[in-house]
Amino acid sequence: MVPPPAFHPYLEVGRDYFGSSVMPLAEYRALEVAIAASHPRFDAGRPLREREFPGGLIFSFLETFIAQLTRAQEEFSPDGPAAEQSLRDLIQAVRADTHEVACCRVMSHMTTPDGKPVEFTNVQVQPVVAQAAEHESELQRIISTVIPGATSAYGRDRPNVYAPPESVIIARDSGAKPFDLAQPLSHQIERFMLLVRLLKPGTSESVAEVQGATHTVREFKPTVLRFRGAGPGFGSPTQLAARVITLGSDDVSRVDGLGRLLTAAEQPRTGMAFTSFGMALQKFLLSFHAYGWSEQIVDLATAFEAALSGKEKDDVTLRLKIRASTLLSTHLDPPEQIFKDVGVIYGIRSALVHGGAMTEKTLLKEIRKVSTVPDGLPDGSAIAHVVERLRDLVRRSLLARVCLAASATSSWPLDADTGVDAAMVDDHSRKVLREAWREALTGIDAVASADPPLT
């Protein structure tokens, strides 16, 4: 077991060795007693929910010491530089009243204008700038700078996904209970990505997320969260119609502004198990974690209906076509084009979810009717462009609903749609609705988000 191979220096108790191999030793028991006497949080008289145990730090100390020796190619000695540094790290961890925890999420198809990090209100976006051969090592260097020994989280199975340009989204927080911090930080990143995806049409997917304390000796050792869909592999529909999100310092105020609008629109709804708009947001996000194009279309169609269709159950497709073409149309995306595209895509969606069937020839014929599918594309890429067309219609629908619900007059609340169809058949009211949500985006310098992508 010792020394471990240089390419994998991180041992883990319970996987590479048993704790019972070490715990009976007199040296272990002496160190355990010394740690327990060093801070009140280890006191045996504390309630179990508030008490900490020295064992987690001792095993982390041993594993950190072994990893540092291996990486430094030092002789195994209790008196060398690695031993001294590991002991200092242990003492710092024992004496600490609070612990910093970080989440580092790897995102595909995301970068910054100059390749430098951008600080947002709650997160940092760090682009991975490297040639293909150095990409993996640079990615791991970024994460390990935040969470030391982060590669130990993967075991021996790293998430080898290559979908450049990639970035790492980093969120941090400190507290007395480090294990309680990871989930809120991960949700913080997810909320940030929701706002970014609403503002910017793109195919940026979550690949993996490393969570853990940022100190080398810690009870909360690095762990990895792998996302549904496992990121955009070379055969992914997302990869076939990749659209990069570029985030700059001028986007900070836009993200914050949309966050305020979304908070104002949602408002607490006590006692509700779920809402249609909440479902729309969830399905929109799930479309970035789908395994294939058919699953993406079903998720996005569900989000589309939840965002726009309202409570009536009859003529859902017709109502979607009318509402979308009325609310979302621009000179770049005229209403008749939206009306036609929604009809084609919903024909495919209905065959997928209502027990229908469709030949490959018919499917390919239908998808090439969608206005955003360029002529001459390979079949797989053409399907991917249909997915992205639906995703953008959903994105703009969600933006419109947020802006209209957050306005002072709340012209279309999230939990009601009374009078909406009547407004859409009146020329003046239709114009007011279209302009109202664009004005809200103008107020946060994000009116360009109301338009479809140019390419």
Side-chain angles (χ1 to χ4, degrees):
M1 184 177 67
V2 176
F7 54 82
H8 189 80
Y10 302 104
L11 302 180
E12 182 180 348
V13 64
R15 182 191 67 191
D16 300 301
Y17 68 100
F18 292 111
S20 58
S21 301
V22 178
M23 294 171 71
L25 299 176
E27 295 86 348
Y28 179 95
R29 294 196 297 271
L31 183 54
E32 187 177 37
V33 170
I35 291 175
S38 299
H39 199 284
R41 71 178 188 274
F42 300 106
D43 193 333
R46 294 173 70 93
L48 280 177
R49 291 179 61 86
E50 300 176 12
R51 181 185 174 190
E52 294 185 23
F53 296 87
L57 290 179
I58 294 175
F59 289 122
S60 178
F61 163 66
L62 287 173
E63 292 161 14
T64 297
F65 171 49
I66 292 169
Q68 289 184 348
L69 279 173
T70 304
R71 291 171 66 89
Q73 297 182 335
E74 289 185 26
E75 292 290 332
F76 270 64
S77 166
D79 302 319
E84 292 180 4
Q85 182 60 53
S86 299
L87 186 57
R88 285 194 294 269
D89 291 340
L90 173 62
I91 293 171
Q92 182 180 341
V94 169
R95 292 176 176 174
D97 292 314
T98 61
H99 309 273
E100 185 183 59
V101 169
C103 290
C104 298
R105 184 177 298 191
V106 183
M107 302 298 305
S108 71
H109 306 145
M110 177 178 287
T111 189
T112 62
D114 54 6
K116 295 180 181 179
V118 177
E119 295 285 348
F120 287 82
T121 300
N122 295 316
V123 303
Q124 180 192 72
V125 176
Q126 171 73 66
V128 182
V129 181
Q131 298 296 320
E134 288 81 36
H135 173 271
E136 175 68 14
S137 60
E138 175 62 12
L139 173 61
Q140 300 309 328
R141 184 198 67 77
I142 291 170
I143 299 175
S144 296
T145 299
V146 180
I147 304 175
T151 54
S152 64
Y154 307 127
R156 291 168 175 81
D157 183 23
R158 294 189 184 185
N160 295 316
V161 174
Y162 183 64
E166 294 177 15
S167 288
V168 180
I169 302 179
I170 303 164
R172 310 171 187 249
D173 197 8
S174 297
K177 296 184 178 296
F179 290 99
D180 293 343
L181 299 175
Q183 188 174 35
L185 285 174
S186 188
H187 289 169
Q188 193 169 290
I189 293 175
E190 193 72 8
R191 179 76 167 189
F192 170 76
M193 280 307 305
L194 169 62
L195 298 174
V196 167
R197 286 164 170 160
L198 289 175
L199 287 169
K200 292 178 174 281
T203 57
S204 184
E205 294 185 13
S206 299
V207 177
E209 180 176 292
V210 180
Q211 307 172 347
T214 59
H215 189 60
T216 52
V217 175
R218 59 268 168 121
E219 289 191 87
F220 187 5
K221 295 185 287 187
T223 60
V224 64
L225 174 65
R226 301 175 191 271
F227 291 88
R228 173 186 178 217
F234 286 109
S236 164
T238 296
Q239 188 83 340
L240 295 174
R243 184 177 290 126
V244 174
I245 291 177
T246 302
L247 292 171
S249 57
D250 53 345
D251 290 310
V252 176
S253 61
R254 297 182 186 123
V255 171
D256 288 345
L258 182 58
R260 291 190 297 270
L261 290 174
L262 182 55
T263 299
E266 288 178 316
Q267 299 180 1
R269 287 170 171 80
T270 305
M272 298 298 294
F274 64 88
T275 65
S276 288
F277 190 75
M279 178 62 67
L281 293 178
Q282 179 69 7
K283 287 296 186 179
F284 175 66
L285 289 174
L286 281 177
S287 75
F288 291 93
H289 301 298
Y291 292 98
W293 66 268
S294 58
E295 191 177 9
Q296 287 177 309
I297 284 181
V298 172
D299 282 339
L300 288 167
T302 304
F304 202 28
E305 290 182 27
L308 288 187
S309 69
K311 297 180 180 180
E312 294 294 330
K313 304 303 179 186
D314 298 328
D315 298 322
V316 172
T317 303
L318 178 60
R319 191 160 56 254
L320 281 173
K321 291 194 288 187
I322 293 173
R323 290 184 174 189
S325 58
T326 299
L327 196 62
L328 308 181
S329 61
T330 70
H331 69 283
L332 296 173
D333 198 8
E336 62 273 13
Q337 184 169 283
I338 296 175
F339 191 96
K340 177 185 174 185
D341 287 351
V342 173
V344 172
I345 294 171
Y346 258 73
I348 298 171
R349 176 260 182 195
S350 295
L352 288 170
V353 301
H354 292 310
M358 186 177 289
T359 65
E360 182 177 345
K361 181 179 179 180
T362 301
L363 172 64
L364 295 176
K365 181 180 178 181
E366 288 299 301
I367 65 174
R368 295 186 189 280
K369 294 178 182 178
V370 175
S371 63
T372 57
V373 178
D375 294 334
L377 275 185
D379 296 340
S381 296
I383 294 175
H385 277 75
V386 171
V387 171
E388 292 311 309
R389 171 56 163 167
L390 179 56
R391 180 139 57 193
D392 186 65
L393 291 171
V394 173
R395 178 188 70 84
R396 290 189 284 149
S397 299
L398 294 172
L399 268 181
R401 291 301 311 276
V402 168
C403 293
L404 292 173
S407 66
T409 58
S410 191
S411 50
W412 189 354
L414 294 183
D415 55 358
D417 65 346
T418 303
V420 170
D421 293 309
M424 289 187 176
V425 298
D426 178 78
D427 287 342
H428 175 71
S429 299
R430 183 167 57 236
K431 182 179 179 182
V432 168
L433 271 180
R434 254 199 314 259
E435 291 179 351
W437 72 276
R438 285 169 170 78
E439 286 174 4
L441 289 176
T442 301
I444 61 171
D445 190 30
V447 70
S449 298
D451 293 329
L454 296 177
T455 56

